[in-house]
Amino acid sequence: MNIIEAKLFDAPIIHDVMIRAFLKYEHAEPPTSALKETVESITAALKDGEQAVIGYIEEEPVAMVRFRLEDERLYFSRFSVVPERQGQGIAKEILRFLEDYAMQQGKRVVACKVRAGVQKNISLYQSIGYHVCEESVLHRTDGTSLAVVSMEKSLS
């Protein structure tokens, strides 16, 4: 897999991969806010300091993750692998890339939030050294609430 750092003009690819991956949460309660994002909202986030990487297999975009560098950590979100490529080790490869990148940037921790009800995702992160550090409820601007777990991995 070829993993590249995304540029502004990659926003449509980021959006497409994300929508394809998050479509399975369309009927979740509450529905995922990822499906409300647009190419324009992703472009605005990238202009505001968010970064992203895209994973390609044979020139086909199959995964992406968005992230921000914070004081001591790299915080990632909207991690997406297209449905037909899930279960092939792609997520773990992207996460290793992110962890290496974080260390190169002098960060000590990689962190994310996961829906508390999606045990498959929690288990994936736990299998490569992430741990649950907090359970909380996100209160969204649309009035819905979502139980999440904050997960972290310390880098050596």
Side-chain angles (χ1 to χ4, degrees), residues 16-52:
D16 180 64
V17 171
M18 181 184 69
I19 295 300
R20 290 169 61 195
F22 277 82
L23 206 51
K24 67 182 172 188
Y25 302 116
E26 180 178 26
H27 300 294
E29 278 305 317
T32 178
S33 58
L35 297 176
K36 294 179 182 175
E37 289 208 54
T38 63
V39 171
E40 293 75 21
S41 67
I42 293 167
T43 300
L46 292 170
K47 285 180 177 176
D48 190 40
E50 186 175 274
Q51 296 174 259

PDB file of all heavy atoms in Angstrom, residues 16-52:
ATOM      1  N   ASP A  16     -14.988  10.977  -0.412  1.00  0.00           N
ATOM      2  CA  ASP A  16     -15.527   9.749  -1.001  1.00  0.00           C
ATOM      3  C   ASP A  16     -15.201   8.519  -0.148  1.00  0.00           C
ATOM      4  O   ASP A  16     -16.086   7.709   0.149  1.00  0.00           O
ATOM      5  CB  ASP A  16     -14.992   9.569  -2.424  1.00  0.00           C
ATOM      6  CG  ASP A  16     -15.525   8.303  -3.061  1.00  0.00           C
ATOM      7  OD1 ASP A  16     -16.755   8.207  -3.256  1.00  0.00           O
ATOM      8  OD2 ASP A  16     -14.727   7.391  -3.344  1.00  0.00           O
ATOM      9  N   VAL A  17     -13.947   8.377   0.253  1.00  0.00           N
ATOM     10  CA  VAL A  17     -13.546   7.226   1.069  1.00  0.00           C
ATOM     11  C   VAL A  17     -14.297   7.246   2.403  1.00  0.00           C
ATOM     12  O   VAL A  17     -14.800   6.218   2.866  1.00  0.00           O
ATOM     13  CB  VAL A  17     -12.014   7.202   1.275  1.00  0.00           C
ATOM     14  CG1 VAL A  17     -11.605   6.146   2.300  1.00  0.00           C
ATOM     15  CG2 VAL A  17     -11.300   6.955  -0.052  1.00  0.00           C
ATOM     16  N   MET A  18     -14.397   8.420   3.016  1.00  0.00           N
ATOM     17  CA  MET A  18     -15.077   8.544   4.307  1.00  0.00           C
ATOM     18  C   MET A  18     -16.552   8.162   4.187  1.00  0.00           C
ATOM     19  O   MET A  18     -17.069   7.392   5.003  1.00  0.00           O
ATOM     20  CB  MET A  18     -14.936   9.969   4.841  1.00  0.00           C
ATOM     21  CG  MET A  18     -15.580  10.184   6.192  1.00  0.00           C
ATOM     22  SD  MET A  18     -15.475  11.903   6.722  1.00  0.00           S
ATOM     23  CE  MET A  18     -16.596  12.679   5.565  1.00  0.00           C
ATOM     24  N   ILE A  19     -17.228   8.691   3.188  1.00  0.00           N
ATOM     25  CA  ILE A  19     -18.660   8.393   3.016  1.00  0.00           C
ATOM     26  C   ILE A  19     -18.857   6.900   2.795  1.00  0.00           C
ATOM     27  O   ILE A  19     -19.743   6.278   3.403  1.00  0.00           O
ATOM     28  CB  ILE A  19     -19.263   9.226   1.853  1.00  0.00           C
ATOM     29  CG1 ILE A  19     -19.232  10.718   2.190  1.00  0.00           C
ATOM     30  CG2 ILE A  19     -20.678   8.747   1.538  1.00  0.00           C
ATOM     31  CD1 ILE A  19     -20.005  11.130   3.431  1.00  0.00           C
ATOM     32  N   ARG A  20     -18.043   6.298   1.954  1.00  0.00           N
ATOM     33  CA  ARG A  20     -18.173   4.856   1.690  1.00  0.00           C
ATOM     34  C   ARG A  20     -17.995   4.047   2.974  1.00  0.00           C
ATOM     35  O   ARG A  20     -18.721   3.077   3.207  1.00  0.00           O
ATOM     36  CB  ARG A  20     -17.173   4.422   0.628  1.00  0.00           C
ATOM     37  CG  ARG A  20     -17.530   4.955  -0.748  1.00  0.00           C
ATOM     38  CD  ARG A  20     -16.423   4.773  -1.765  1.00  0.00           C
ATOM     39  NE  ARG A  20     -16.092   3.371  -1.982  1.00  0.00           N
ATOM     40  CZ  ARG A  20     -14.989   2.967  -2.589  1.00  0.00           C
ATOM     41  NH1 ARG A  20     -14.106   3.854  -3.048  1.00  0.00           N
ATOM     42  NH2 ARG A  20     -14.745   1.688  -2.766  1.00  0.00           N
ATOM     43  N   ALA A  21     -17.032   4.448   3.805  1.00  0.00           N
ATOM     44  CA  ALA A  21     -16.755   3.707   5.031  1.00  0.00           C
ATOM     45  C   ALA A  21     -17.809   3.938   6.114  1.00  0.00           C
ATOM     46  O   ALA A  21     -18.154   3.020   6.863  1.00  0.00           O
ATOM     47  CB  ALA A  21     -15.373   4.069   5.564  1.00  0.00           C
ATOM     48  N   PHE A  22     -18.319   5.158   6.207  1.00  0.00           N
ATOM     49  CA  PHE A  22     -19.255   5.501   7.287  1.00  0.00           C
ATOM     50  C   PHE A  22     -20.721   5.225   6.944  1.00  0.00           C
ATOM     51  O   PHE A  22     -21.581   5.339   7.810  1.00  0.00           O
ATOM     52  CB  PHE A  22     -19.072   6.967   7.706  1.00  0.00           C
ATOM     53  CG  PHE A  22     -17.960   7.176   8.684  1.00  0.00           C
ATOM     54  CD1 PHE A  22     -16.641   7.266   8.254  1.00  0.00           C
ATOM     55  CD2 PHE A  22     -18.212   7.269  10.046  1.00  0.00           C
ATOM     56  CE1 PHE A  22     -15.606   7.449   9.154  1.00  0.00           C
ATOM     57  CE2 PHE A  22     -17.183   7.452  10.966  1.00  0.00           C
ATOM     58  CZ  PHE A  22     -15.876   7.536  10.516  1.00  0.00           C
ATOM     59  N   LEU A  23     -20.993   4.848   5.713  1.00  0.00           N
ATOM     60  CA  LEU A  23     -22.371   4.596   5.305  1.00  0.00           C
ATOM     61  C   LEU A  23     -23.027   3.507   6.159  1.00  0.00           C
ATOM     62  O   LEU A  23     -24.236   3.547   6.403  1.00  0.00           O
ATOM     63  CB  LEU A  23     -22.421   4.209   3.826  1.00  0.00           C
ATOM     64  CG  LEU A  23     -23.724   4.506   3.091  1.00  0.00           C
ATOM     65  CD1 LEU A  23     -24.182   5.946   3.277  1.00  0.00           C
ATOM     66  CD2 LEU A  23     -23.560   4.198   1.607  1.00  0.00           C
ATOM     67  N   LYS A  24     -22.222   2.585   6.675  1.00  0.00           N
ATOM     68  CA  LYS A  24     -22.790   1.518   7.509  1.00  0.00           C
ATOM     69  C   LYS A  24     -23.343   2.049   8.832  1.00  0.00           C
ATOM     70  O   LYS A  24     -24.099   1.357   9.503  1.00  0.00           O
ATOM     71  CB  LYS A  24     -21.762   0.418   7.757  1.00  0.00           C
ATOM     72  CG  LYS A  24     -20.577   0.825   8.597  1.00  0.00           C
ATOM     73  CD  LYS A  24     -19.615  -0.346   8.723  1.00  0.00           C
ATOM     74  CE  LYS A  24     -18.328   0.050   9.388  1.00  0.00           C
ATOM     75  NZ  LYS A  24     -17.353  -1.039   9.318  1.00  0.00           N
ATOM     76  N   TYR A  25     -22.991   3.277   9.205  1.00  0.00           N
ATOM     77  CA  TYR A  25     -23.501   3.888  10.443  1.00  0.00           C
ATOM     78  C   TYR A  25     -24.660   4.855  10.169  1.00  0.00           C
ATOM     79  O   TYR A  25     -25.076   5.602  11.045  1.00  0.00           O
ATOM     80  CB  TYR A  25     -22.389   4.622  11.186  1.00  0.00           C
ATOM     81  CG  TYR A  25     -21.226   3.737  11.549  1.00  0.00           C
ATOM     82  CD1 TYR A  25     -19.964   3.954  11.003  1.00  0.00           C
ATOM     83  CD2 TYR A  25     -21.383   2.669  12.432  1.00  0.00           C
ATOM     84  CE1 TYR A  25     -18.891   3.140  11.318  1.00  0.00           C
ATOM     85  CE2 TYR A  25     -20.319   1.849  12.756  1.00  0.00           C
ATOM     86  CZ  TYR A  25     -19.075   2.090  12.190  1.00  0.00           C
ATOM     87  OH  TYR A  25     -18.015   1.271  12.514  1.00  0.00           O
ATOM     88  N   GLU A  26     -25.191   4.816   8.952  1.00  0.00           N
ATOM     89  CA  GLU A  26     -26.260   5.725   8.564  1.00  0.00           C
ATOM     90  C   GLU A  26     -27.490   5.587   9.461  1.00  0.00           C
ATOM     91  O   GLU A  26     -28.148   6.571   9.784  1.00  0.00           O
ATOM     92  CB  GLU A  26     -26.647   5.442   7.109  1.00  0.00           C
ATOM     93  CG  GLU A  26     -27.737   6.315   6.568  1.00  0.00           C
ATOM     94  CD  GLU A  26     -28.045   6.012   5.106  1.00  0.00           C
ATOM     95  OE1 GLU A  26     -27.801   4.873   4.650  1.00  0.00           O
ATOM     96  OE2 GLU A  26     -28.526   6.933   4.428  1.00  0.00           O
ATOM     97  N   HIS A  27     -27.793   4.379   9.889  1.00  0.00           N
ATOM     98  CA  HIS A  27     -28.989   4.149  10.706  1.00  0.00           C
ATOM     99  C   HIS A  27     -28.646   3.921  12.181  1.00  0.00           C
ATOM    100  O   HIS A  27     -29.498   3.502  12.948  1.00  0.00           O
ATOM    101  CB  HIS A  27     -29.791   2.973  10.145  1.00  0.00           C
ATOM    102  CG  HIS A  27     -30.249   3.227   8.738  1.00  0.00           C
ATOM    103  ND1 HIS A  27     -31.166   4.209   8.409  1.00  0.00           N
ATOM    104  CD2 HIS A  27     -29.877   2.661   7.558  1.00  0.00           C
ATOM    105  CE1 HIS A  27     -31.353   4.218   7.101  1.00  0.00           C
ATOM    106  NE2 HIS A  27     -30.578   3.297   6.556  1.00  0.00           N
ATOM    107  N   ALA A  28     -27.407   4.206  12.547  1.00  0.00           N
ATOM    108  CA  ALA A  28     -27.016   4.093  13.958  1.00  0.00           C
ATOM    109  C   ALA A  28     -27.753   5.171  14.748  1.00  0.00           C
ATOM    110  O   ALA A  28     -28.202   6.175  14.196  1.00  0.00           O
ATOM    111  CB  ALA A  28     -25.502   4.268  14.096  1.00  0.00           C
ATOM    112  N   GLU A  29     -27.876   4.947  16.041  1.00  0.00           N
ATOM    113  CA  GLU A  29     -28.503   5.948  16.901  1.00  0.00           C
ATOM    114  C   GLU A  29     -27.465   6.537  17.831  1.00  0.00           C
ATOM    115  O   GLU A  29     -26.910   5.815  18.648  1.00  0.00           O
ATOM    116  CB  GLU A  29     -29.650   5.334  17.699  1.00  0.00           C
ATOM    117  CG  GLU A  29     -30.943   5.234  16.919  1.00  0.00           C
ATOM    118  CD  GLU A  29     -31.410   6.565  16.328  1.00  0.00           C
ATOM    119  OE1 GLU A  29     -31.336   7.589  17.031  1.00  0.00           O
ATOM    120  OE2 GLU A  29     -31.817   6.591  15.168  1.00  0.00           O
ATOM    121  N   PRO A  30     -27.177   7.809  17.762  1.00  0.00           N
ATOM    122  CA  PRO A  30     -27.617   8.709  16.694  1.00  0.00           C
ATOM    123  C   PRO A  30     -26.821   8.439  15.417  1.00  0.00           C
ATOM    124  O   PRO A  30     -25.733   7.865  15.481  1.00  0.00           O
ATOM    125  CB  PRO A  30     -27.320  10.093  17.262  1.00  0.00           C
ATOM    126  CG  PRO A  30     -26.141   9.885  18.145  1.00  0.00           C
ATOM    127  CD  PRO A  30     -26.323   8.503  18.734  1.00  0.00           C
ATOM    128  N   PRO A  31     -27.326   8.885  14.268  1.00  0.00           N
ATOM    129  CA  PRO A  31     -26.593   8.690  13.007  1.00  0.00           C
ATOM    130  C   PRO A  31     -25.234   9.380  13.069  1.00  0.00           C
ATOM    131  O   PRO A  31     -25.063  10.372  13.783  1.00  0.00           O
ATOM    132  CB  PRO A  31     -27.484   9.350  11.959  1.00  0.00           C
ATOM    133  CG  PRO A  31     -28.832   9.437  12.588  1.00  0.00           C
ATOM    134  CD  PRO A  31     -28.595   9.551  14.071  1.00  0.00           C
ATOM    135  N   THR A  32     -24.300   8.857  12.326  1.00  0.00           N
ATOM    136  CA  THR A  32     -22.970   9.456  12.304  1.00  0.00           C
ATOM    137  C   THR A  32     -22.998  10.843  11.674  1.00  0.00           C
ATOM    138  O   THR A  32     -23.676  11.058  10.657  1.00  0.00           O
ATOM    139  CB  THR A  32     -21.965   8.561  11.567  1.00  0.00           C
ATOM    140  OG1 THR A  32     -20.700   9.228  11.538  1.00  0.00           O
ATOM    141  CG2 THR A  32     -22.401   8.255  10.148  1.00  0.00           C
ATOM    142  N   SER A  33     -22.271  11.758  12.252  1.00  0.00           N
ATOM    143  CA  SER A  33     -22.168  13.105  11.683  1.00  0.00           C
ATOM    144  C   SER A  33     -21.223  13.125  10.482  1.00  0.00           C
ATOM    145  O   SER A  33     -21.218  14.097   9.720  1.00  0.00           O
ATOM    146  CB  SER A  33     -21.701  14.090  12.753  1.00  0.00           C
ATOM    147  OG  SER A  33     -20.456  13.690  13.285  1.00  0.00           O
ATOM    148  N   ALA A  34     -20.459  12.066  10.288  1.00  0.00           N
ATOM    149  CA  ALA A  34     -19.540  12.014   9.146  1.00  0.00           C
ATOM    150  C   ALA A  34     -20.293  12.138   7.827  1.00  0.00           C
ATOM    151  O   ALA A  34     -19.791  12.742   6.870  1.00  0.00           O
ATOM    152  CB  ALA A  34     -18.741  10.709   9.173  1.00  0.00           C
ATOM    153  N   LEU A  35     -21.498  11.590   7.779  1.00  0.00           N
ATOM    154  CA  LEU A  35     -22.264  11.610   6.533  1.00  0.00           C
ATOM    155  C   LEU A  35     -22.797  12.997   6.191  1.00  0.00           C
ATOM    156  O   LEU A  35     -23.257  13.219   5.065  1.00  0.00           O
ATOM    157  CB  LEU A  35     -23.409  10.601   6.599  1.00  0.00           C
ATOM    158  CG  LEU A  35     -22.970   9.140   6.729  1.00  0.00           C
ATOM    159  CD1 LEU A  35     -24.171   8.228   6.884  1.00  0.00           C
ATOM    160  CD2 LEU A  35     -22.091   8.710   5.564  1.00  0.00           C
ATOM    161  N   LYS A  36     -22.720  13.931   7.133  1.00  0.00           N
ATOM    162  CA  LYS A  36     -23.147  15.312   6.875  1.00  0.00           C
ATOM    163  C   LYS A  36     -22.003  16.172   6.341  1.00  0.00           C
ATOM    164  O   LYS A  36     -22.223  17.304   5.918  1.00  0.00           O
ATOM    165  CB  LYS A  36     -23.702  15.936   8.158  1.00  0.00           C
ATOM    166  CG  LYS A  36     -24.982  15.283   8.636  1.00  0.00           C
ATOM    167  CD  LYS A  36     -25.468  15.934   9.911  1.00  0.00           C
ATOM    168  CE  LYS A  36     -26.723  15.263  10.415  1.00  0.00           C
ATOM    169  NZ  LYS A  36     -27.154  15.791  11.710  1.00  0.00           N
ATOM    170  N   GLU A  37     -20.794  15.642   6.381  1.00  0.00           N
ATOM    171  CA  GLU A  37     -19.655  16.427   5.907  1.00  0.00           C
ATOM    172  C   GLU A  37     -19.678  16.533   4.393  1.00  0.00           C
ATOM    173  O   GLU A  37     -20.228  15.687   3.699  1.00  0.00           O
ATOM    174  CB  GLU A  37     -18.352  15.788   6.377  1.00  0.00           C
ATOM    175  CG  GLU A  37     -18.155  15.962   7.869  1.00  0.00           C
ATOM    176  CD  GLU A  37     -16.714  15.979   8.256  1.00  0.00           C
ATOM    177  OE1 GLU A  37     -15.959  16.795   7.679  1.00  0.00           O
ATOM    178  OE2 GLU A  37     -16.345  15.190   9.125  1.00  0.00           O
ATOM    179  N   THR A  38     -19.047  17.583   3.902  1.00  0.00           N
ATOM    180  CA  THR A  38     -18.981  17.855   2.467  1.00  0.00           C
ATOM    181  C   THR A  38     -17.521  18.037   2.055  1.00  0.00           C
ATOM    182  O   THR A  38     -16.629  18.187   2.915  1.00  0.00           O
ATOM    183  CB  THR A  38     -19.742  19.146   2.127  1.00  0.00           C
ATOM    184  OG1 THR A  38     -19.091  20.247   2.801  1.00  0.00           O
ATOM    185  CG2 THR A  38     -21.212  19.066   2.556  1.00  0.00           C
ATOM    186  N   VAL A  39     -17.294  18.038   0.761  1.00  0.00           N
ATOM    187  CA  VAL A  39     -15.952  18.338   0.262  1.00  0.00           C
ATOM    188  C   VAL A  39     -15.527  19.711   0.782  1.00  0.00           C
ATOM    189  O   VAL A  39     -14.373  19.908   1.192  1.00  0.00           O
ATOM    190  CB  VAL A  39     -15.923  18.282  -1.286  1.00  0.00           C
ATOM    191  CG1 VAL A  39     -14.588  18.807  -1.825  1.00  0.00           C
ATOM    192  CG2 VAL A  39     -16.186  16.866  -1.776  1.00  0.00           C
ATOM    193  N   GLU A  40     -16.476  20.646   0.827  1.00  0.00           N
ATOM    194  CA  GLU A  40     -16.168  22.005   1.294  1.00  0.00           C
ATOM    195  C   GLU A  40     -15.793  22.021   2.772  1.00  0.00           C
ATOM    196  O   GLU A  40     -14.868  22.737   3.174  1.00  0.00           O
ATOM    197  CB  GLU A  40     -17.356  22.935   1.032  1.00  0.00           C
ATOM    198  CG  GLU A  40     -17.638  23.196  -0.421  1.00  0.00           C
ATOM    199  CD  GLU A  40     -18.318  22.036  -1.175  1.00  0.00           C
ATOM    200  OE1 GLU A  40     -18.937  21.157  -0.516  1.00  0.00           O
ATOM    201  OE2 GLU A  40     -18.209  21.996  -2.409  1.00  0.00           O
ATOM    202  N   SER A  41     -16.501  21.240   3.610  1.00  0.00           N
ATOM    203  CA  SER A  41     -16.172  21.236   5.043  1.00  0.00           C
ATOM    204  C   SER A  41     -14.812  20.582   5.286  1.00  0.00           C
ATOM    205  O   SER A  41     -14.064  21.005   6.168  1.00  0.00           O
ATOM    206  CB  SER A  41     -17.274  20.544   5.868  1.00  0.00           C
ATOM    207  OG  SER A  41     -17.356  19.159   5.601  1.00  0.00           O
ATOM    208  N   ILE A  42     -14.489  19.584   4.488  1.00  0.00           N
ATOM    209  CA  ILE A  42     -13.170  18.940   4.617  1.00  0.00           C
ATOM    210  C   ILE A  42     -12.077  19.900   4.153  1.00  0.00           C
ATOM    211  O   ILE A  42     -11.044  20.036   4.811  1.00  0.00           O
ATOM    212  CB  ILE A  42     -13.146  17.620   3.833  1.00  0.00           C
ATOM    213  CG1 ILE A  42     -14.098  16.604   4.495  1.00  0.00           C
ATOM    214  CG2 ILE A  42     -11.729  17.060   3.735  1.00  0.00           C
ATOM    215  CD1 ILE A  42     -14.404  15.382   3.668  1.00  0.00           C
ATOM    216  N   THR A  43     -12.318  20.587   3.059  1.00  0.00           N
ATOM    217  CA  THR A  43     -11.350  21.577   2.565  1.00  0.00           C
ATOM    218  C   THR A  43     -11.112  22.652   3.623  1.00  0.00           C
ATOM    219  O   THR A  43      -9.965  23.027   3.896  1.00  0.00           O
ATOM    220  CB  THR A  43     -11.852  22.219   1.251  1.00  0.00           C
ATOM    221  OG1 THR A  43     -12.013  21.190   0.275  1.00  0.00           O
ATOM    222  CG2 THR A  43     -10.877  23.263   0.737  1.00  0.00           C
ATOM    223  N   ALA A  44     -12.184  23.121   4.252  1.00  0.00           N
ATOM    224  CA  ALA A  44     -12.056  24.147   5.294  1.00  0.00           C
ATOM    225  C   ALA A  44     -11.242  23.616   6.471  1.00  0.00           C
ATOM    226  O   ALA A  44     -10.390  24.336   7.019  1.00  0.00           O
ATOM    227  CB  ALA A  44     -13.439  24.602   5.761  1.00  0.00           C
ATOM    228  N   ALA A  45     -11.478  22.369   6.863  1.00  0.00           N
ATOM    229  CA  ALA A  45     -10.716  21.784   7.977  1.00  0.00           C
ATOM    230  C   ALA A  45      -9.237  21.674   7.619  1.00  0.00           C
ATOM    231  O   ALA A  45      -8.364  21.958   8.453  1.00  0.00           O
ATOM    232  CB  ALA A  45     -11.290  20.415   8.335  1.00  0.00           C
ATOM    233  N   LEU A  46      -8.935  21.285   6.386  1.00  0.00           N
ATOM    234  CA  LEU A  46      -7.535  21.185   5.955  1.00  0.00           C
ATOM    235  C   LEU A  46      -6.874  22.563   5.943  1.00  0.00           C
ATOM    236  O   LEU A  46      -5.716  22.702   6.323  1.00  0.00           O
ATOM    237  CB  LEU A  46      -7.445  20.530   4.576  1.00  0.00           C
ATOM    238  CG  LEU A  46      -7.833  19.044   4.508  1.00  0.00           C
ATOM    239  CD1 LEU A  46      -7.947  18.579   3.057  1.00  0.00           C
ATOM    240  CD2 LEU A  46      -6.863  18.175   5.287  1.00  0.00           C
ATOM    241  N   LYS A  47      -7.620  23.571   5.542  1.00  0.00           N
ATOM    242  CA  LYS A  47      -7.082  24.942   5.547  1.00  0.00           C
ATOM    243  C   LYS A  47      -6.843  25.431   6.970  1.00  0.00           C
ATOM    244  O   LYS A  47      -6.006  26.297   7.200  1.00  0.00           O
ATOM    245  CB  LYS A  47      -8.035  25.896   4.819  1.00  0.00           C
ATOM    246  CG  LYS A  47      -8.013  25.758   3.324  1.00  0.00           C
ATOM    247  CD  LYS A  47      -8.973  26.741   2.667  1.00  0.00           C
ATOM    248  CE  LYS A  47      -8.913  26.661   1.162  1.00  0.00           C
ATOM    249  NZ  LYS A  47      -9.908  27.546   0.512  1.00  0.00           N
ATOM    250  N   ASP A  48      -7.595  24.849   7.924  1.00  0.00           N
ATOM    251  CA  ASP A  48      -7.508  25.258   9.327  1.00  0.00           C
ATOM    252  C   ASP A  48      -6.497  24.417  10.120  1.00  0.00           C
ATOM    253  O   ASP A  48      -6.508  24.420  11.337  1.00  0.00           O
ATOM    254  CB  ASP A  48      -8.899  25.150   9.968  1.00  0.00           C
ATOM    255  CG  ASP A  48      -8.954  25.769  11.349  1.00  0.00           C
ATOM    256  OD1 ASP A  48      -8.349  26.851  11.555  1.00  0.00           O
ATOM    257  OD2 ASP A  48      -9.592  25.167  12.240  1.00  0.00           O
ATOM    258  N   GLY A  49      -5.662  23.669   9.438  1.00  0.00           N
ATOM    259  CA  GLY A  49      -4.594  22.951  10.130  1.00  0.00           C
ATOM    260  C   GLY A  49      -4.784  21.456  10.277  1.00  0.00           C
ATOM    261  O   GLY A  49      -3.884  20.762  10.741  1.00  0.00           O
ATOM    262  N   GLU A  50      -5.958  20.968   9.912  1.00  0.00           N
ATOM    263  CA  GLU A  50      -6.130  19.517   9.946  1.00  0.00           C
ATOM    264  C   GLU A  50      -5.272  18.917   8.830  1.00  0.00           C
ATOM    265  O   GLU A  50      -5.039  19.557   7.807  1.00  0.00           O
ATOM    266  CB  GLU A  50      -7.604  19.171   9.729  1.00  0.00           C
ATOM    267  CG  GLU A  50      -7.920  17.701   9.887  1.00  0.00           C
ATOM    268  CD  GLU A  50      -9.411  17.432   9.790  1.00  0.00           C
ATOM    269  OE1 GLU A  50     -10.106  17.536  10.831  1.00  0.00           O
ATOM    270  OE2 GLU A  50      -9.876  17.144   8.676  1.00  0.00           O
ATOM    271  N   GLN A  51      -4.812  17.688   9.039  1.00  0.00           N
ATOM    272  CA  GLN A  51      -4.035  16.983   8.036  1.00  0.00           C
ATOM    273  C   GLN A  51      -4.736  15.659   7.750  1.00  0.00           C
ATOM    274  O   GLN A  51      -5.640  15.258   8.483  1.00  0.00           O
ATOM    275  CB  GLN A  51      -2.614  16.729   8.542  1.00  0.00           C
ATOM    276  CG  GLN A  51      -1.817  17.998   8.779  1.00  0.00           C
ATOM    277  CD  GLN A  51      -0.478  17.698   9.415  1.00  0.00           C
ATOM    278  OE1 GLN A  51      -0.312  17.864  10.609  1.00  0.00           O
ATOM    279  NE2 GLN A  51       0.471  17.250   8.626  1.00  0.00           N
ATOM    280  N   ALA A  52      -4.302  14.994   6.692  1.00  0.00           N
ATOM    281  CA  ALA A  52      -4.876  13.695   6.361  1.00  0.00           C
ATOM    282  C   ALA A  52      -3.862  12.882   5.577  1.00  0.00           C
ATOM    283  O   ALA A  52      -2.954  13.447   4.958  1.00  0.00           O
ATOM    284  CB  ALA A  52      -6.151  13.861   5.539  1.00  0.00           C
TER     285      ALA A  52
END
